[in-house]
Structure formats: structure tokens, C-alpha cells
Amino acid sequence: MTMTSFDRSTRAAVLALACAAGLGGCAPATVAPAVQPGAAPAPSAQAMIPLPRDIHSFARPEQARVTHVGLDLRADFASKTLEGTATLDVQAAPNVHEIVLDTRDLEIRKVTDGAGREMPWEFGQADEVLGRPLTVGVPDGRRIVIHYRTSPGAGALQWLTPEQTAGKRHPFLFSQGQAILTRTWIPTQDSPGIRQSYDARITVPAGLTAVMSADMLTPQGEAVQGGRAFRFRLDTPVPPYLIALAVGDLAFRATGPRTGVWTEPVTLDRAANELAELEKFVDAAEALYGPYRWGRYDVLVLPPSFPFGGMENPRLTFATPTILAGDRSLVSLIAHELAHSWSGNLVTNATWADFWLNEGFTTYFENRIMEALYGPERAAMLASLGWGNLQTAIGDAGGPGAADTRLHIDLAGRDPDAGMTEIPYEKGATFLRTLEQAVGRERWDAYLRAYFDRHAFQPMTTERFLADLRANLIRGDAELERRLMLDEWVSGTGVPSNAVRRESSAFARVEAEAQRFLAGTPAAQLATGQWSTQEWQHFLGALPQGLTAAQLGDLDRAFRLSQQGNSEILFAWLQMAVRHRYEPALPALERFLTSQGRRKFVRPLFASLMAQGEWGQAHARRIYQLARPGYHPVTSGSVDEIVR
Ligand code: BES
Ligand code: ZN
């Protein structure tokens, strides 16, 4: 998409004026580009939306913005570095001749213009959380080329040795940009409101394959000096946290015309079987909230140290292998990452204070996909587990009056990671369920579908969402406005009194069995015959503290809990075992903590051990020493704060 310099300066002037006029200091936009469903908008038009201030970026988007990133990088496993160039296309307001980028731990070699002439650049003051601003001169051609190298400790990159992979024979690399780690591997403006298209040429050692969150232009790669080069392109502008790369011994299998699975060859059969229904997921999501706008939807199943459950990288969700239960019982995680193709990747939280707009909408949408595919009872169970997690998270945050229980969270002076609790997910989803119930599903679905169209490819703030809700759903109905308690939901702490809570009748039966067990019925005589994973999770969660060693042994033997292959059930069991100092489960605990590095599982188990006095602390230190080398920095960073 080209733009004449006249267009450029006119648009920039409009932008500058909008900000200067104090439109909320670059607040809610009125200049929304018209977007055809399914079509990518002009990337340059995107950059014109005035943005709210992002305290987690050094960028000054009202002056200059990156609109496109072109990467040419070589992955060197020996030095654990990516080295090469990032070519940035810049849009600048009139009379602005420099741009401020975000970087962290990057080694800058030089900066040139598009023709190779050196440009001035300068690092600013470093900040422990944010990294270092990099100010670069912007030439008339509005294109800058940064020659750089990442550091071996780059927070976004994990370089795995062959032993840390499933196949054990080849090294592996993957990136994880969210929330503010893209700046550790790409020198760009790392703010979710500043959307950028990208292309890349990635050179890797022979025998390995590179994949990205983009269109794969050369699936076989091209032989080049010292390896193979793979080319990619994503024309749809995305927030920079969605630029993602993985390199390894990778194989692919289609699960449908537009879906498929990438993973290490040894994991391919299991992964393809677990995700055999992927195509149906996309169909179900589209039937709910409109066209899937990203072309393909593939899932990359990563080696076991992947620190998250999943990451919604466009066109290519990254997922933990801990969802490969063998019975498709943990696929709601894929429904979640897929749902982000609308809530998050299409309509994006403008700042990390608005994170709940990504995760709360997605958790709601995830549950609707699960309901469409597996029925209302499965959806009710998942929602009910979510409600339980919300209560726990509120407790962990300091109770219902704690500031961090607000949806619109104040992250001043903190890493956005601090806001990554179940609260934005489950309180956000509960808020949307409350809205749904107040106006009825039909009206709510029509609203939400139109909302995604109206704001496609744009950043969204909490304030703007409320304005949209009032303009397009409430429409002056004072009685409805009063009933919804909107301001209490987004600005208040705890859970408002009108919250809708979904009940599961299956869980009521599970609770009855838990009571029978507590009253003395042997575990083997409980009616657990057809229980799903979710019912097992609920059963274990429903058993109180204070069980005897005999009761724990009975459960363990009757249900072979320590031998569980299902990661969620095993996790729930191990939590219980640790809290009761049930020693026969220690080998299983050690196996689990040393065979995967998903933070959601690892952190709470170490925290529970550390809460068990000398006994638990000694085990925690011993196991952590074994497990830590295999963990991603995201995971070890949080466990370091717990195990000392
Ligand atoms: N986008 C998140 C993961 C994330 C959030 C990474 C913030 C870094 C910073 C992803 O969609 C997510 O929510 N993953 C969850 C699984 C989901 C089913 C709740 C996870 O990884 O546990
Ligand atoms: Zn998510």
C-alpha cells in the first residue's frame, strides 16, 4: 500500500492537530477507517488513530509511528543470538525528524536510511522494567534500517538445547512477546496501540524450519550460505506483541482446509489427534461473531518448557504440550486462543491497563465456542471452574476491596505481568455474561458481532468500550443502564452484586460424591464412572484441607492420581498432596515439575511447598535446582521470587 507524501503529511497534520486540541491527549478516536469484513485495511491509515498514553512504552506516537517492520535475521544457536537488520517504515507528523523506539538488551551496530547512509541514533536512560529508549533520526524517505543483535538473555527468546525438546535431537528457539518483551528482539515501538505490518527473512541452520505468526511465503525455505532462509509476510497490521517466531525440527499435518498442526515430529501424531476438530472450532467461532480474518489458523505445539498455556499469535497459536491429554478434554485452551483472533488481535487493548478487554472478552467467547461445540453442560462446568478461580484470585489479591481486583487496573511503576491474574479473565467474562443475561443472548450477540466489525484493527480502551456500549446497546434506556452497574464493573473492586454466576448440575452431583467420601465411603465406591476432566478437577477442588493420610492414600490408589496423564487433574491432585504433606506423591510432583515449565502449574506448586515450613521448603529447593535449567525465563523469574 503506497501513500503519496501529500497524503502522508496531511494525515499527520490531522493527527497532530487532534492531539494538540487536547482530544483527551490523544484519546478516543473518531477517525475509524471503514473496514470491509475480511479485508485488511491500509496499514498507513491505521496509524492515524489518536492513542491514549501507554506508560509501558517510550514511543511518542503523536510524533512518529512505525507502520511496518521488515526483519532480516539469522538465528545462531551457538551464541544464542539473532543478528541482522530491522527495516522500519515510519510515519511522522510535520517537522518531526526523529522517532523514539523501545529496546531492551539489544546491541545496536549502526542505523542507516533506506539507501545505506548512516543516521544518528542515541540510547536514553535505561529503566529496569521498560528497557531503553532508542532515538533515531528519520530521513526524508521515512525508512530506517537498524543493524543489531539480540542478547543471549533476551527476555522474549528461549533457546532450547536438544535435551530440552521433546525429540532430544535438535535445538529449538521460540519467541514470546506479550506483554512488553518484543523490544528484546526487535527494535520497534512496543506498544499495543501502534499496529505494524511485517515481513521477515529468517536464516536458520540446515535441517531446521522457521515458522512465524504470518503468511509463510517459502514453506520449504531456500538454501543459502550456512543454512536455510524462510520468508514471511503479514500485511494485516498487528500490535508488536504478536510478532512471533519459532525455529526447530518441525513437522506439519493438516486438520482441515485452513487449519493444521505444527510440532516436533515425535509429537505430531498426538498433537494432530488432540486437535483433529480444529476446523470445526473456526467454523463455530465464525458463526458466533463474524468472519475469521487471518486466512489460515494453525497451532504450533511447543516443547514442554513453553511458559504459557497458549499464546494467540496471529495465524499460528503457540500452545503448551500439556494440553495433549489424549482425550481432547483440554481443548478449551485452543478455543481461547482462537477467540483472540477477534478479541485481542482484531480489537486490541490499547494499553496494558485495558488487558481485561483482551482476556475477559476472550474468556467469554471461548466459553461460547465450547458451548456451541460440546453443549451447555460442558460450558457451564468450565464457567463454574472459572468462577472458583476468580474467587481464589480475589483472595490472593488481598480480598474484594483490593485495588488489583479492578478490571481497569493501575499498573503505574509495575511490569504489566503484575496484571496477569485470573481477574481480568474471569471477572471480565462474568461482566460480559451479566450483560448478555440483561439484554438477552440474541441482542447481545448482535451487538458483539457488530462491535468487532466496528472496531476491527483498532486499539480499544475501557472508556471507549463503555461509550460504544452506551451508544449501541443501551441507547438511552435508563432502567437498563442502572441495572447493568457498568462503572462499578470496570472501576470498582471485587465482584458487583448483579454478577451472573453459571451453575452446573453435574458439579452438584460431584459435590454430593465428595460429601459421601468425607462421610466415610471408600473412594472406590464413589460414583465417578463417567466423570469428565472438569468433574475430576471440581471433585479435587471440593475436598477440604484436613484430610488424613489414609484418605489421601485411598484416593491415590483408587483413582491412580499420582499416575495421571492429564495435566489439569494431576495439578489439582499435587496441590492437594503438597498441602497435606502427603509424601507418596513426591516422586510424581518431582516428575511433573521437571518435565514441563508451564507457569500456571509450576508457580503455585512451588508456592504451596514453600508454605509448608521446613518440610516443603527443603523439597522445593531440591526440586527447583533440578527443574530450573529447563524453565523459560518467564517461569524461572516468577519462581525465583518464591523459592529462596
Ligand atoms: N495472551 C495470553 C497469554 C499471555 C498474557 C502472555 C499476558 C503474556 C502476557 C493467552 O491468551 C492466555 O490467556 N493463555 C492462558 C490460557 C488460557 C486458556 C487462559 C495461559 O497461558 O494460561
Ligand atoms: Zn488469552
Side-chain angles (χ1 to χ4, degrees), residues 293-320:
R293 304 176 195 232
W294 307 88
R296 293 198 56 83
Y297 181 71
D298 296 325
V299 174
L300 170 66
V301 177
L302 285 132
S305 66
F306 186 59
F308 296 105
M311 179 63 214
E312 66 271 26
N313 297 317
R315 297 173 60 93
L316 184 63
T317 280
F318 284 21
T320 168

PDB file of all heavy atoms in Angstrom, residues 293-320:
ATOM      1  N   ARG A 293     -10.564 -13.389  10.018  1.00  0.00           N
ATOM      2  CA  ARG A 293      -9.936 -12.505   9.032  1.00  0.00           C
ATOM      3  C   ARG A 293      -8.456 -12.728   8.795  1.00  0.00           C
ATOM      4  O   ARG A 293      -7.783 -11.859   8.258  1.00  0.00           O
ATOM      5  CB  ARG A 293     -10.110 -11.057   9.483  1.00  0.00           C
ATOM      6  CG  ARG A 293     -11.561 -10.701   9.697  1.00  0.00           C
ATOM      7  CD  ARG A 293     -11.625  -9.298  10.220  1.00  0.00           C
ATOM      8  NE  ARG A 293     -12.916  -9.010  10.781  1.00  0.00           N
ATOM      9  CZ  ARG A 293     -13.636  -7.959  10.437  1.00  0.00           C
ATOM     10  NH1 ARG A 293     -13.188  -7.119   9.530  1.00  0.00           N
ATOM     11  NH2 ARG A 293     -14.785  -7.746  11.016  1.00  0.00           N
ATOM     12  N   TRP A 294      -7.940 -13.865   9.212  1.00  0.00           N
ATOM     13  CA  TRP A 294      -6.492 -14.030   9.158  1.00  0.00           C
ATOM     14  C   TRP A 294      -6.034 -15.119   8.214  1.00  0.00           C
ATOM     15  O   TRP A 294      -4.862 -15.510   8.227  1.00  0.00           O
ATOM     16  CB  TRP A 294      -5.962 -14.308  10.583  1.00  0.00           C
ATOM     17  CG  TRP A 294      -6.404 -13.276  11.573  1.00  0.00           C
ATOM     18  CD1 TRP A 294      -7.568 -13.286  12.296  1.00  0.00           C
ATOM     19  CD2 TRP A 294      -5.724 -12.065  11.913  1.00  0.00           C
ATOM     20  NE1 TRP A 294      -7.646 -12.163  13.076  1.00  0.00           N
ATOM     21  CE2 TRP A 294      -6.517 -11.392  12.864  1.00  0.00           C
ATOM     22  CE3 TRP A 294      -4.513 -11.491  11.525  1.00  0.00           C
ATOM     23  CZ2 TRP A 294      -6.144 -10.167  13.430  1.00  0.00           C
ATOM     24  CZ3 TRP A 294      -4.139 -10.282  12.084  1.00  0.00           C
ATOM     25  CH2 TRP A 294      -4.964  -9.628  13.022  1.00  0.00           C
ATOM     26  N   GLY A 295      -6.973 -15.652   7.401  1.00  0.00           N
ATOM     27  CA  GLY A 295      -6.558 -16.699   6.460  1.00  0.00           C
ATOM     28  C   GLY A 295      -6.474 -18.042   7.154  1.00  0.00           C
ATOM     29  O   GLY A 295      -7.480 -18.607   7.567  1.00  0.00           O
ATOM     30  N   ARG A 296      -5.258 -18.552   7.358  1.00  0.00           N
ATOM     31  CA  ARG A 296      -5.104 -19.851   7.985  1.00  0.00           C
ATOM     32  C   ARG A 296      -5.198 -19.758   9.517  1.00  0.00           C
ATOM     33  O   ARG A 296      -4.957 -18.708  10.101  1.00  0.00           O
ATOM     34  CB  ARG A 296      -3.724 -20.449   7.651  1.00  0.00           C
ATOM     35  CG  ARG A 296      -3.533 -20.818   6.190  1.00  0.00           C
ATOM     36  CD  ARG A 296      -2.354 -21.773   6.066  1.00  0.00           C
ATOM     37  NE  ARG A 296      -2.536 -22.946   6.915  1.00  0.00           N
ATOM     38  CZ  ARG A 296      -3.259 -24.019   6.573  1.00  0.00           C
ATOM     39  NH1 ARG A 296      -3.827 -24.072   5.394  1.00  0.00           N
ATOM     40  NH2 ARG A 296      -3.385 -25.025   7.420  1.00  0.00           N
ATOM     41  N   TYR A 297      -5.571 -20.883  10.141  1.00  0.00           N
ATOM     42  CA  TYR A 297      -5.447 -20.988  11.591  1.00  0.00           C
ATOM     43  C   TYR A 297      -4.717 -22.291  11.926  1.00  0.00           C
ATOM     44  O   TYR A 297      -5.287 -23.381  11.848  1.00  0.00           O
ATOM     45  CB  TYR A 297      -6.802 -20.941  12.313  1.00  0.00           C
ATOM     46  CG  TYR A 297      -6.621 -21.019  13.818  1.00  0.00           C
ATOM     47  CD1 TYR A 297      -6.085 -19.937  14.510  1.00  0.00           C
ATOM     48  CD2 TYR A 297      -6.920 -22.168  14.529  1.00  0.00           C
ATOM     49  CE1 TYR A 297      -5.855 -20.000  15.875  1.00  0.00           C
ATOM     50  CE2 TYR A 297      -6.705 -22.242  15.902  1.00  0.00           C
ATOM     51  CZ  TYR A 297      -6.175 -21.150  16.562  1.00  0.00           C
ATOM     52  OH  TYR A 297      -5.946 -21.219  17.916  1.00  0.00           O
ATOM     53  N   ASP A 298      -3.451 -22.177  12.265  1.00  0.00           N
ATOM     54  CA  ASP A 298      -2.650 -23.337  12.635  1.00  0.00           C
ATOM     55  C   ASP A 298      -2.262 -23.229  14.112  1.00  0.00           C
ATOM     56  O   ASP A 298      -2.294 -22.147  14.694  1.00  0.00           O
ATOM     57  CB  ASP A 298      -1.375 -23.403  11.780  1.00  0.00           C
ATOM     58  CG  ASP A 298      -1.688 -23.621  10.297  1.00  0.00           C
ATOM     59  OD1 ASP A 298      -2.658 -24.345   9.999  1.00  0.00           O
ATOM     60  OD2 ASP A 298      -0.977 -23.050   9.443  1.00  0.00           O
ATOM     61  N   VAL A 299      -1.923 -24.367  14.690  1.00  0.00           N
ATOM     62  CA  VAL A 299      -1.459 -24.387  16.081  1.00  0.00           C
ATOM     63  C   VAL A 299      -0.057 -24.993  16.116  1.00  0.00           C
ATOM     64  O   VAL A 299       0.184 -26.043  15.512  1.00  0.00           O
ATOM     65  CB  VAL A 299      -2.407 -25.228  16.968  1.00  0.00           C
ATOM     66  CG1 VAL A 299      -1.835 -25.373  18.385  1.00  0.00           C
ATOM     67  CG2 VAL A 299      -3.796 -24.588  17.020  1.00  0.00           C
ATOM     68  N   LEU A 300       0.849 -24.310  16.776  1.00  0.00           N
ATOM     69  CA  LEU A 300       2.196 -24.837  16.991  1.00  0.00           C
ATOM     70  C   LEU A 300       2.257 -25.391  18.418  1.00  0.00           C
ATOM     71  O   LEU A 300       2.088 -24.638  19.382  1.00  0.00           O
ATOM     72  CB  LEU A 300       3.227 -23.719  16.826  1.00  0.00           C
ATOM     73  CG  LEU A 300       4.663 -24.055  17.240  1.00  0.00           C
ATOM     74  CD1 LEU A 300       5.273 -25.116  16.341  1.00  0.00           C
ATOM     75  CD2 LEU A 300       5.543 -22.798  17.236  1.00  0.00           C
ATOM     76  N   VAL A 301       2.456 -26.687  18.547  1.00  0.00           N
ATOM     77  CA  VAL A 301       2.605 -27.291  19.878  1.00  0.00           C
ATOM     78  C   VAL A 301       4.094 -27.282  20.227  1.00  0.00           C
ATOM     79  O   VAL A 301       4.903 -27.907  19.546  1.00  0.00           O
ATOM     80  CB  VAL A 301       2.021 -28.715  19.917  1.00  0.00           C
ATOM     81  CG1 VAL A 301       2.264 -29.355  21.282  1.00  0.00           C
ATOM     82  CG2 VAL A 301       0.526 -28.671  19.607  1.00  0.00           C
ATOM     83  N   LEU A 302       4.431 -26.541  21.256  1.00  0.00           N
ATOM     84  CA  LEU A 302       5.832 -26.279  21.590  1.00  0.00           C
ATOM     85  C   LEU A 302       6.441 -27.351  22.480  1.00  0.00           C
ATOM     86  O   LEU A 302       5.725 -28.189  23.037  1.00  0.00           O
ATOM     87  CB  LEU A 302       5.918 -24.907  22.277  1.00  0.00           C
ATOM     88  CG  LEU A 302       5.750 -23.833  21.203  1.00  0.00           C
ATOM     89  CD1 LEU A 302       4.766 -22.802  21.622  1.00  0.00           C
ATOM     90  CD2 LEU A 302       7.094 -23.234  20.838  1.00  0.00           C
ATOM     91  N   PRO A 303       7.739 -27.299  22.653  1.00  0.00           N
ATOM     92  CA  PRO A 303       8.362 -28.169  23.648  1.00  0.00           C
ATOM     93  C   PRO A 303       7.834 -27.841  25.051  1.00  0.00           C
ATOM     94  O   PRO A 303       7.276 -26.764  25.274  1.00  0.00           O
ATOM     95  CB  PRO A 303       9.858 -27.833  23.526  1.00  0.00           C
ATOM     96  CG  PRO A 303      10.020 -27.292  22.147  1.00  0.00           C
ATOM     97  CD  PRO A 303       8.742 -26.537  21.885  1.00  0.00           C
ATOM     98  N   PRO A 304       8.020 -28.756  25.995  1.00  0.00           N
ATOM     99  CA  PRO A 304       7.361 -28.666  27.309  1.00  0.00           C
ATOM    100  C   PRO A 304       7.719 -27.441  28.157  1.00  0.00           C
ATOM    101  O   PRO A 304       7.014 -27.151  29.115  1.00  0.00           O
ATOM    102  CB  PRO A 304       7.824 -29.927  28.033  1.00  0.00           C
ATOM    103  CG  PRO A 304       8.422 -30.808  27.009  1.00  0.00           C
ATOM    104  CD  PRO A 304       8.782 -30.009  25.824  1.00  0.00           C
ATOM    105  N   SER A 305       8.790 -26.733  27.818  1.00  0.00           N
ATOM    106  CA  SER A 305       9.132 -25.582  28.659  1.00  0.00           C
ATOM    107  C   SER A 305       8.351 -24.326  28.297  1.00  0.00           C
ATOM    108  O   SER A 305       8.531 -23.290  28.944  1.00  0.00           O
ATOM    109  CB  SER A 305      10.626 -25.284  28.548  1.00  0.00           C
ATOM    110  OG  SER A 305      10.918 -24.867  27.236  1.00  0.00           O
ATOM    111  N   PHE A 306       7.479 -24.388  27.282  1.00  0.00           N
ATOM    112  CA  PHE A 306       6.698 -23.189  26.947  1.00  0.00           C
ATOM    113  C   PHE A 306       6.004 -22.690  28.216  1.00  0.00           C
ATOM    114  O   PHE A 306       5.304 -23.450  28.882  1.00  0.00           O
ATOM    115  CB  PHE A 306       5.683 -23.513  25.854  1.00  0.00           C
ATOM    116  CG  PHE A 306       4.937 -22.317  25.343  1.00  0.00           C
ATOM    117  CD1 PHE A 306       5.618 -21.248  24.782  1.00  0.00           C
ATOM    118  CD2 PHE A 306       3.552 -22.242  25.440  1.00  0.00           C
ATOM    119  CE1 PHE A 306       4.932 -20.125  24.332  1.00  0.00           C
ATOM    120  CE2 PHE A 306       2.859 -21.128  24.983  1.00  0.00           C
ATOM    121  CZ  PHE A 306       3.559 -20.069  24.425  1.00  0.00           C
ATOM    122  N   PRO A 307       6.227 -21.407  28.586  1.00  0.00           N
ATOM    123  CA  PRO A 307       5.792 -20.968  29.919  1.00  0.00           C
ATOM    124  C   PRO A 307       4.289 -20.713  30.051  1.00  0.00           C
ATOM    125  O   PRO A 307       3.778 -20.618  31.160  1.00  0.00           O
ATOM    126  CB  PRO A 307       6.566 -19.661  30.127  1.00  0.00           C
ATOM    127  CG  PRO A 307       6.828 -19.148  28.746  1.00  0.00           C
ATOM    128  CD  PRO A 307       6.987 -20.368  27.882  1.00  0.00           C
ATOM    129  N   PHE A 308       3.600 -20.580  28.918  1.00  0.00           N
ATOM    130  CA  PHE A 308       2.168 -20.289  28.990  1.00  0.00           C
ATOM    131  C   PHE A 308       1.367 -21.498  28.519  1.00  0.00           C
ATOM    132  O   PHE A 308       1.929 -22.459  27.996  1.00  0.00           O
ATOM    133  CB  PHE A 308       1.827 -19.077  28.118  1.00  0.00           C
ATOM    134  CG  PHE A 308       2.484 -17.830  28.611  1.00  0.00           C
ATOM    135  CD1 PHE A 308       3.580 -17.297  27.951  1.00  0.00           C
ATOM    136  CD2 PHE A 308       2.040 -17.201  29.760  1.00  0.00           C
ATOM    137  CE1 PHE A 308       4.211 -16.150  28.429  1.00  0.00           C
ATOM    138  CE2 PHE A 308       2.662 -16.066  30.248  1.00  0.00           C
ATOM    139  CZ  PHE A 308       3.748 -15.540  29.578  1.00  0.00           C
ATOM    140  N   GLY A 309       0.055 -21.402  28.743  1.00  0.00           N
ATOM    141  CA  GLY A 309      -0.815 -22.414  28.175  1.00  0.00           C
ATOM    142  C   GLY A 309      -0.860 -22.226  26.674  1.00  0.00           C
ATOM    143  O   GLY A 309      -0.620 -23.146  25.897  1.00  0.00           O
ATOM    144  N   GLY A 310      -1.166 -21.007  26.295  1.00  0.00           N
ATOM    145  CA  GLY A 310      -1.236 -20.696  24.875  1.00  0.00           C
ATOM    146  C   GLY A 310      -0.946 -19.235  24.637  1.00  0.00           C
ATOM    147  O   GLY A 310      -0.995 -18.423  25.563  1.00  0.00           O
ATOM    148  N   MET A 311      -0.602 -18.921  23.394  1.00  0.00           N
ATOM    149  CA  MET A 311      -0.382 -17.536  23.002  1.00  0.00           C
ATOM    150  C   MET A 311      -0.970 -17.348  21.611  1.00  0.00           C
ATOM    151  O   MET A 311      -0.651 -18.100  20.693  1.00  0.00           O
ATOM    152  CB  MET A 311       1.125 -17.208  23.026  1.00  0.00           C
ATOM    153  CG  MET A 311       1.454 -15.796  22.601  1.00  0.00           C
ATOM    154  SD  MET A 311       0.720 -14.561  23.736  1.00  0.00           S
ATOM    155  CE  MET A 311       0.359 -13.237  22.574  1.00  0.00           C
ATOM    156  N   GLU A 312      -1.805 -16.315  21.497  1.00  0.00           N
ATOM    157  CA  GLU A 312      -2.639 -16.130  20.318  1.00  0.00           C
ATOM    158  C   GLU A 312      -1.918 -15.505  19.134  1.00  0.00           C
ATOM    159  O   GLU A 312      -2.448 -14.586  18.508  1.00  0.00           O
ATOM    160  CB  GLU A 312      -3.854 -15.290  20.720  1.00  0.00           C
ATOM    161  CG  GLU A 312      -3.551 -13.828  21.141  1.00  0.00           C
ATOM    162  CD  GLU A 312      -3.260 -13.644  22.623  1.00  0.00           C
ATOM    163  OE1 GLU A 312      -2.804 -14.611  23.273  1.00  0.00           O
ATOM    164  OE2 GLU A 312      -3.478 -12.531  23.131  1.00  0.00           O
ATOM    165  N   ASN A 313      -0.716 -15.951  18.817  1.00  0.00           N
ATOM    166  CA  ASN A 313      -0.015 -15.347  17.698  1.00  0.00           C
ATOM    167  C   ASN A 313      -0.843 -15.519  16.418  1.00  0.00           C
ATOM    168  O   ASN A 313      -1.356 -16.606  16.160  1.00  0.00           O
ATOM    169  CB  ASN A 313       1.374 -15.966  17.576  1.00  0.00           C
ATOM    170  CG  ASN A 313       2.198 -15.663  18.814  1.00  0.00           C
ATOM    171  OD1 ASN A 313       2.186 -14.544  19.309  1.00  0.00           O
ATOM    172  ND2 ASN A 313       2.876 -16.671  19.360  1.00  0.00           N
ATOM    173  N   PRO A 314      -1.013 -14.436  15.641  1.00  0.00           N
ATOM    174  CA  PRO A 314      -1.924 -14.495  14.501  1.00  0.00           C
ATOM    175  C   PRO A 314      -1.567 -15.628  13.528  1.00  0.00           C
ATOM    176  O   PRO A 314      -0.395 -15.860  13.250  1.00  0.00           O
ATOM    177  CB  PRO A 314      -1.753 -13.139  13.813  1.00  0.00           C
ATOM    178  CG  PRO A 314      -0.955 -12.286  14.720  1.00  0.00           C
ATOM    179  CD  PRO A 314      -0.408 -13.124  15.822  1.00  0.00           C
ATOM    180  N   ARG A 315      -2.580 -16.301  13.031  1.00  0.00           N
ATOM    181  CA  ARG A 315      -2.445 -17.401  12.081  1.00  0.00           C
ATOM    182  C   ARG A 315      -1.782 -18.629  12.688  1.00  0.00           C
ATOM    183  O   ARG A 315      -1.830 -19.699  12.106  1.00  0.00           O
ATOM    184  CB  ARG A 315      -1.644 -16.985  10.828  1.00  0.00           C
ATOM    185  CG  ARG A 315      -2.282 -15.889  10.012  1.00  0.00           C
ATOM    186  CD  ARG A 315      -1.329 -15.432   8.893  1.00  0.00           C
ATOM    187  NE  ARG A 315      -0.995 -16.515   8.002  1.00  0.00           N
ATOM    188  CZ  ARG A 315      -1.645 -16.794   6.865  1.00  0.00           C
ATOM    189  NH1 ARG A 315      -2.654 -16.014   6.480  1.00  0.00           N
ATOM    190  NH2 ARG A 315      -1.288 -17.796   6.114  1.00  0.00           N
ATOM    191  N   LEU A 316      -1.129 -18.483  13.830  1.00  0.00           N
ATOM    192  CA  LEU A 316      -0.356 -19.595  14.392  1.00  0.00           C
ATOM    193  C   LEU A 316      -0.323 -19.498  15.914  1.00  0.00           C
ATOM    194  O   LEU A 316       0.587 -18.929  16.503  1.00  0.00           O
ATOM    195  CB  LEU A 316       1.067 -19.553  13.829  1.00  0.00           C
ATOM    196  CG  LEU A 316       1.977 -20.706  14.245  1.00  0.00           C
ATOM    197  CD1 LEU A 316       1.453 -22.035  13.736  1.00  0.00           C
ATOM    198  CD2 LEU A 316       3.404 -20.481  13.738  1.00  0.00           C
ATOM    199  N   THR A 317      -1.366 -20.055  16.544  1.00  0.00           N
ATOM    200  CA  THR A 317      -1.382 -20.109  18.008  1.00  0.00           C
ATOM    201  C   THR A 317      -0.209 -20.948  18.502  1.00  0.00           C
ATOM    202  O   THR A 317       0.079 -22.000  17.943  1.00  0.00           O
ATOM    203  CB  THR A 317      -2.728 -20.725  18.467  1.00  0.00           C
ATOM    204  OG1 THR A 317      -3.742 -19.717  18.430  1.00  0.00           O
ATOM    205  CG2 THR A 317      -2.626 -21.280  19.886  1.00  0.00           C
ATOM    206  N   PHE A 318       0.470 -20.457  19.528  1.00  0.00           N
ATOM    207  CA  PHE A 318       1.515 -21.241  20.201  1.00  0.00           C
ATOM    208  C   PHE A 318       0.857 -21.909  21.408  1.00  0.00           C
ATOM    209  O   PHE A 318       0.155 -21.240  22.174  1.00  0.00           O
ATOM    210  CB  PHE A 318       2.648 -20.334  20.704  1.00  0.00           C
ATOM    211  CG  PHE A 318       3.609 -19.840  19.636  1.00  0.00           C
ATOM    212  CD1 PHE A 318       3.266 -19.813  18.289  1.00  0.00           C
ATOM    213  CD2 PHE A 318       4.880 -19.392  19.989  1.00  0.00           C
ATOM    214  CE1 PHE A 318       4.166 -19.348  17.312  1.00  0.00           C
ATOM    215  CE2 PHE A 318       5.793 -18.929  19.035  1.00  0.00           C
ATOM    216  CZ  PHE A 318       5.436 -18.907  17.687  1.00  0.00           C
ATOM    217  N   ALA A 319       1.114 -23.217  21.593  1.00  0.00           N
ATOM    218  CA  ALA A 319       0.441 -23.916  22.697  1.00  0.00           C
ATOM    219  C   ALA A 319       1.382 -24.844  23.449  1.00  0.00           C
ATOM    220  O   ALA A 319       2.321 -25.409  22.891  1.00  0.00           O
ATOM    221  CB  ALA A 319      -0.750 -24.717  22.169  1.00  0.00           C
ATOM    222  N   THR A 320       1.080 -25.025  24.706  1.00  0.00           N
ATOM    223  CA  THR A 320       1.828 -25.951  25.559  1.00  0.00           C
ATOM    224  C   THR A 320       1.463 -27.397  25.212  1.00  0.00           C
ATOM    225  O   THR A 320       0.298 -27.696  24.931  1.00  0.00           O
ATOM    226  CB  THR A 320       1.491 -25.707  27.044  1.00  0.00           C
ATOM    227  OG1 THR A 320       2.014 -26.804  27.815  1.00  0.00           O
ATOM    228  CG2 THR A 320       0.000 -25.669  27.288  1.00  0.00           C
TER     229      THR A 320
END
